[in-house]
Amino acid sequence: MQQFSDAGESRLERGRRALAEIDGEAGHKVVAALGDIAPEFATYILEFPFGDIYSRPGLDVRSREIATIAALAAMGNADPQLKVHIEAGLNVGLTRDEIVEILMQMAVYAGFPAALNGLFAAKEVFARLAGHGSEAKAR
């Protein structure tokens, strides 16, 4: 998986490119949904998390998605974002089994409710992808 650093690109351009590769359609839906209420916030999402942080050297995007899935599951109140990043994890090469293990690990540090909620979110994402013919992603 490539890093997204490119000195010739703006933060916004780099963020759009990173979002497309990492989150795919799910990420674009989030950004588009903000268009009629907070378009500036959509720009912030593209520039900061994706244009700046995901594009940094030091961790590949697969590792960043492991951290993101774990953090969102541990928060316990970010189900929509967790589902987007479970799909993103699959997009960047995580397997279903690895995602399940990440979520089970949260039982130790965030508690059983956080792990259960994360596992049910993953189950929903896996089923949705399998139902849409994205079986390769759902594995």
Side-chain angles (χ1 to χ4, degrees):
M1 184 61 60
Q2 71 175 1
Q3 291 304 116
F4 301 98
S5 186
D6 183 344
E9 285 182 308
S10 71
R11 294 169 70 214
L12 183 59
E13 292 167 336
R14 191 171 53 244
R16 281 189 176 123
R17 189 163 50 92
L19 178 76
E21 186 165 335
I22 296 165
D23 283 353
E25 185 66 27
H28 287 294
K29 286 180 182 178
V30 170
V31 170
L34 290 168
D36 61 349
I37 189 168
E40 297 87 4
F41 198 74
T43 300
Y44 300 152
I45 289 172
L46 290 167
E47 289 179 336
F48 180 61
F50 290 95
D52 292 340
I53 302 300
Y54 271 93
S55 299
R56 290 177 51 80
L59 285 177
D60 61 15
V61 291
R62 187 178 185 284
S63 298
R64 290 183 191 280
E65 281 304 321
I66 291 170
T68 302
I69 291 166
L72 291 169
M75 287 175 64
N77 63 354
D79 194 58
Q81 295 81 15
L82 177 58
K83 289 175 183 174
V84 166
H85 284 281
I86 288 169
E87 186 169 347
L90 294 167
N91 286 342
V92 300
L94 292 173
T95 66
R96 283 176 52 146
D97 289 343
E98 288 172 321
I99 291 169
V100 167
E101 288 298 324
I102 293 163
L103 296 167
M104 288 176 60
Q105 181 77 16
M106 292 305 94
V108 177
Y109 295 97
F112 274 82
L116 282 168
N117 290 342
L119 289 164
F120 287 130
K123 182 177 179 178
E124 186 178 316
V125 170
F126 298 159
R128 181 178 50 78
L129 292 175
H132 284 107
S134 299
E135 191 60 39
K137 272 191 195 177
R139 286 190 196 141

